[in-house]
Amino acid sequence: YIHLELAEKKAATAAATGAPTSVLEQATDAGKTSLLSVPGIALIGRAVPLRRGEHVIGGVGVSGGTVQDDEKIALAAAGD
């Protein structure tokens, strides 16, 4: 069940921030550690915000496969 819980946290993070979690992960890796102080945030790639027009209406998070496969699935599910 760890993959399910992680996918849910990543999706919630993408929805709350309006950014792909891979972008947030890269920012943290580059030294922007303030993101680490947000409770419950998942700074691991493989999730994208779900948009309708300019509005973020949710997030899609995937976990369990390779980084490349998970990101492709998340983008496809989001319609990107």
Side-chain angles (χ1 to χ4, degrees), residues 1-50:
Y1 294 102
I2 192 161
H3 293 294
L4 176 59
E5 291 177 18
L6 186 54
E8 289 173 344
K9 282 188 177 188
K10 290 189 287 189
T13 299
T17 62
T21 54
S22 59
V23 171
L24 302 174
E25 181 179 23
Q26 291 169 0
T28 303
D29 289 347
K32 297 191 179 206
T33 58
S34 61
L35 291 170
L36 297 172
S37 65
V38 179
I41 197 166
L43 299 174
I44 302 169
R46 306 175 187 179
V48 295
L50 183 58

Side-chain angles (χ1 to χ4, degrees), residues 48 60 70-80:
V48 295
V60 178
D70 286 355
E71 289 204 359
K72 285 179 188 176
I73 293 166
L75 288 169
D80 290 342

